[in-house]
Amino acid sequence: MTSTLLRSRSLFVPLCISLILIGCRTQEEPFAPDAAFTPYIPAFTAGHISARAPIMVRIAPDQRWRDTSDAVIQGLFDLDPEVKGTVKWQDERTLAFHPNERLKQEQRYTVHFDLGKLIEVPKGMEEFKFQVTTVRQGVDVRLTDMQSLSQSDLTWQRVVFTVSTSDDATGQDLDGCFTATQGDRSIPLTWEHEPNGRYHRFTADSVRRGETGSVLELSWNAERIGSSDIGGIPFDVPAIGDIALISATTDSEGEQVATLLFSDPLDTQQDMTGLVGIAGLEDMRITVEGNKIMMYPQERLSGDHQGYVSAGVRNISGKRLGKDVNVDLTFEELKPAVRFVGKGNILPSSDGLVMPFEAVNLSAVEVRVVRIHANNVAQFLQVNDLGGERELARVGRLITRKTVVLKTADSPDLGRWNRYHLDLAEHFRADPGAIYRVELSFDKRHSVYPCGDATVEAEGLTRERTWEEEQAAYDRIQDYWYYDEYYDDYYEEEYNYREREDPCTASYFARRSAVSRNVLASDLGLIAKGGNDGSLLVTASDLRTAQPLAGVKVQVLDLQRKSMVELVTDKNGMATATSTAHKPFLLVASKGINGATSN
């Protein structure tokens, strides 16, 4: 009997292992889509996506369609692991697969698209195969405020926390992941959610201050939103007769400030000079708001400093703190970043085609320019506004890539926000009517943020692509990004959500490494106004002088780039049309100077 049992187990174990191995094959290894499909599928969803994102495929124009009925398109998408959903036409050439339920977090899906059922294709190209991977869901929790429900009665308090999720948590039970208790009392939590689904705030109401101190225990288990994050924050609630310093935070973005959060509303009439401050610093601006003291140093600080609070600080009832308190304050260096200055998409020649931008803790930035050819602008505007970026490879091409050094003759402090001016004439010669997408990017190589030993560890994480590799991106099938820029192609495999705020890790640069702006080099300004009767009034002016321009040729195009009306402005720079109907249109204008395109 014993030998029989042992023999059965020896047969059963390999069978279990085989079943387990088979189950693990549902996630295929990463692969690149076949570039041979480019003439038929110019764009598709790829890379790391939100678990709530649809999966899209765009069909190239001028194809021989087989069957586009609703019944047929429902069977075009097949996902592995299996996902049920519905397929809809996003526009006349784009199909979108909408899962019935959220995709699983941190899961790679292989998508089989039955192209041969939709259009005529050569033999062997009936199925297009590509992959998407959902991001890891994570939570980051921070205490941000403590407020009394009444200025006169400090018994009841509300404590405010913020929660950041790495993926859109809309529709998930994020609220149910958190619990708060004070002693044997369960504390209700009131939630607010930002529309983007990634930023949240909740308030722990009815936190009681008694005759003795207590602890508010906040805990969370994020399993309900597909995350493995588990944690807790014990928060000391002072006795009602005590004034306590709850927290001390610093912010180096913009004007530096150190914020001291107290348990009680403070006496706003009390002169805080000499009562609070930062050791060794005499020039300080101090403000009091509710239960917060804000200290603004007049000189830029970095690193560790000692803050102090005198025992004489009073609350709104005249109660004194009763003891001197010292607190550690760390003023962090501003994290590496770059940003454009101002708004708008048209650069008149009077400014010399100069784009202002600002950067901090960077020694250089990479400048890339993609030119959208003038005869492709109308096609670009079919799926974009002037500031858009969709389907760039179909209408534009990378024309330059240069490294711009930011250390100038007057040696600015790179640890502050400094303004620079990018002379576009050094990067390209503007063609009339063309749109140029200017991108400023950086990686770890360009950072001058002090990281100590981490600086050495982070070197080499980013391999610079050759000019040929960057050009090749405009010769092959492209990823199609319909959703938030948050999931962009800078999302690297080594990304760690918990390290996203640490500029000494690769994860920081995975999300913040580029800003872009489209510019139209033109001296023509156009204004179009449509009437309820379908009429159209167009005015043209010189952006350099603000004077009206006569003789400007204006074409009114429909969405398919067919000319609806052709106009010429009069001596007042005006032209009218009476039959443009009530539908979207594009304006294309020219007059011997730089062309202009507007929608």
Side-chain angles (χ1 to χ4, degrees):
M1 192 69 163
T2 302
S3 61
T4 303
L5 272 176
L6 289 173
R7 189 179 301 111
S8 298
R9 287 176 180 172
S10 66
L11 292 173
F12 181 69
V13 171
L15 178 61
C16 289
I17 294 174
S18 299
L19 291 174
I20 292 171
L21 291 175
I22 292 172
C24 290
R25 292 194 187 112
T26 56
Q27 281 204 54
E28 293 189 31
E29 290 299 314
F31 61 84
D34 189 348
F37 284 89
T38 304
Y40 309 101
I41 299 178
F44 61 99
T45 301
H48 289 77
I49 68 170
S50 168
R52 295 188 68 238
I55 297 173
M56 301 190 185
V57 171
R58 187 172 183 85
I59 307 301
D62 304 323
Q63 300 299 315
R64 295 173 62 91
W65 298 88
R66 291 185 181 275
D67 190 346
T68 60
S69 64
D70 186 70
V72 169
I73 66 172
Q74 296 308 313
L76 295 180
F77 289 83
D78 180 26
L79 273 64
D80 182 18
E82 182 181 4
V83 177
K84 296 185 181 300
T86 57
V87 180
K88 299 179 181 179
W89 286 100
Q90 187 75 8
D91 57 39
E92 61 181 5
R93 291 191 291 110
T94 306
L95 286 161
F97 175 81
H98 296 267
N100 292 341
E101 299 180 354
R102 294 179 62 100
L103 300 176
K104 185 179 178 181
Q105 303 289 164
E106 208 171 5
Q107 171 78 43
R108 182 184 301 113
Y109 291 90
T110 300
V111 184
H112 303 263
F113 183 75
D114 200 343
L115 183 63
K117 283 187 178 180
L118 192 65
I119 62 174
E120 293 184 7
V121 293
K123 186 176 180 180
M125 300 189 66
E126 294 82 3
E127 181 183 89
F128 176 56
K129 186 177 175 182
F130 62 101
Q131 292 179 321
V132 296
T133 304
T134 52
V135 299
R136 177 190 180 277
Q137 183 65 290
V139 297
D140 180 49
V141 186
R142 300 184 182 184
L143 185 150
T144 58
D145 202 1
M146 178 177 178
Q147 306 165 352
S148 59
L149 300 182
S150 169
Q151 292 289 321
S152 56
D153 183 1
L154 305 182
T155 303
W156 298 103
Q157 306 279 322
R158 60 168 63 97
V159 183
V160 182
F161 297 85
T162 58
V163 180
S164 300
T165 53
S166 55
D167 192 12
D168 186 343
T170 302
Q172 292 186 297
D173 187 17
L174 179 64
D175 304 18
C177 297
F178 289 78
T179 59
T181 58
Q182 186 182 19
D184 56 358
R185 294 174 55 240
S186 178
I187 305 297
L189 305 179
T190 304
W191 283 83
E192 300 174 27
H193 302 278
E194 292 291 327
N196 63 18
R198 297 196 302 272
Y199 301 105
H200 321 267
R201 169 180 168 175
F202 69 85
T203 302
D205 284 323
S206 306
V207 176
R208 189 176 188 278
R209 294 178 63 182
E211 297 300 322
T212 59
S214 59
V215 177
L216 171 68
E217 291 282 358
L218 176 72
S219 60
W220 61 89
N221 183 336
E223 183 179 3
R224 295 191 183 192
I225 64 170
S227 172
S228 59
D229 289 0
I230 298 175
I233 297 178
F235 174 68
D236 293 326
V237 181
I240 196 170
D242 298 335
I243 306 176
L245 177 63
I246 301 299
S247 66
T249 59
T250 62
D251 185 2
S252 292
E253 188 71 29
E255 185 178 16
Q256 282 189 318
V257 60
T259 302
L260 306 179
L261 176 66
F262 290 84
S263 58
D264 298 5
L266 302 173
D267 182 1
T268 58
Q269 303 302 314
Q270 185 177 20
D271 184 2
M272 295 294 177
T273 304
L275 297 180
V276 296
I278 299 175
L281 203 63
E282 296 181 1
D283 197 3
M284 176 87 63
R285 181 167 61 89
I286 302 172
T287 63
V288 179
E289 294 181 9
N291 58 338
K292 296 178 182 178
I293 295 178
M294 275 82 75
M295 301 184 294
Y296 299 87
Q298 299 305 294
E299 63 180 74
R300 197 78 183 173
L301 302 179
S302 63
D304 297 331
H305 293 265
Q306 190 76 31
Y308 61 86
V309 182
S310 170
V313 171
R314 301 191 302 263
N315 69 3
I316 197 171
S317 303
K319 174 75 174 180
R320 297 179 182 274
L321 184 61
K323 61 180 180 179
D324 294 336
V325 176
N326 292 323
V327 60
D328 293 329
L329 299 174
T330 300
F331 288 89
E332 293 186 351
E333 293 277 348
L334 291 175
K335 298 172 183 177
V338 63
R339 63 193 182 194
F340 282 114
V341 178
K343 298 180 179 180
N345 300 93
I346 299 178
L347 282 180
S349 59
S350 58
D351 292 332
L353 296 182
V354 172
M355 288 185 69
F357 70 95
E358 294 180 339
V360 61
N361 264 322
L362 293 173
S363 61
V365 294
E366 293 284 341
V367 179
R368 291 173 176 82
V369 180
V370 174
R371 179 173 58 208
I372 300 166
H373 304 281
N375 58 352
N376 289 341
V377 166
Q379 183 181 3
F380 171 76
L381 292 175
Q382 286 180 318
V383 293
N384 290 283
D385 57 22
L386 277 178
E389 62 176 327
R390 291 172 58 180
E391 306 182 43
L392 284 179
R394 294 200 302 124
V395 293
R397 191 166 190 88
L398 182 70
I399 60 173
T400 184
R401 180 190 70 177
K402 293 182 180 180
T403 300
V404 175
V405 178
L406 300 182
K407 195 76 171 180
T408 59
D410 53 359
S411 299
D413 179 2
L414 296 181
R416 298 171 177 259
W417 280 105
N418 292 291
R419 179 164 296 189
Y420 306 91
H421 293 85
L422 182 66
D423 186 355
L424 298 182
E426 296 180 358
H427 299 268
F428 61 87
R429 180 178 178 181
D431 292 336
I435 294 177
Y436 296 87
R437 183 165 184 84
V438 181
E439 177 190 273
L440 303 179
S441 64
F442 61 90
D443 56 41
K444 183 61 186 174
R445 294 168 301 161
H446 307 118
S447 172
V448 293
Y449 187 91
C451 292
D453 294 339
T455 302
V456 177
E457 296 174 4
E459 288 180 356
L461 285 177
T462 303
R463 183 184 71 85
E464 183 177 2
R465 292 192 296 178
T466 65
W467 173 255
E468 289 73 19
E469 287 174 325
E470 297 218 21
Q471 280 287 314
Y474 291 84
D475 292 321
R476 64 172 182 262
I477 195 164
Q478 296 295 302
D479 300 346
Y480 203 33
W481 301 107
Y482 279 94
Y483 24 81
D484 196 315
E485 288 183 21
Y486 181 78
Y487 305 107
D488 58 27
D489 52 4
Y490 295 101
Y491 192 114
E492 301 295 341
E493 290 297 332
E494 66 265 23
Y495 177 78
N496 184 333
Y497 174 71
R498 296 182 182 280
E499 297 178 345
R500 71 193 188 283
E501 298 294 343
D502 184 356
C504 295
T505 68
S507 299
Y508 177 85
F509 297 90
R511 292 286 177 83
R512 298 171 175 82
S513 54
V515 294
S516 300
R517 177 174 292 179
N518 293 353
V519 295
L520 180 63
S522 175
D523 294 323
L524 268 180
L526 294 179
I527 298 177
K529 293 186 177 181
N532 293 330
D533 58 354
S535 62
L536 176 69
L537 170 64
V538 178
T539 63
S541 60
D542 190 328
L543 293 176
R544 298 166 299 179
T545 63
Q547 295 299 312
L549 287 175
V552 175
K553 297 179 181 180
V554 180
Q555 277 188 302
V556 184
L557 307 180
D558 62 17
L559 189 59
Q560 287 71 41
R561 296 180 289 162
K562 180 181 178 181
S563 179
M564 300 164 57
V565 181
E566 292 188 6
L567 307 171
V568 179
T569 59
D570 59 21
K571 63 180 181 179
N572 297 314
M574 302 174 65
T576 59
T578 59
S579 58
T580 58
H582 300 283
K583 58 183 178 181
F585 59 86
L586 309 175
L587 293 184
V588 179
S590 61
K591 181 185 171 58
I593 56 176
N594 288 342
T597 303
S598 181
N599 61 344

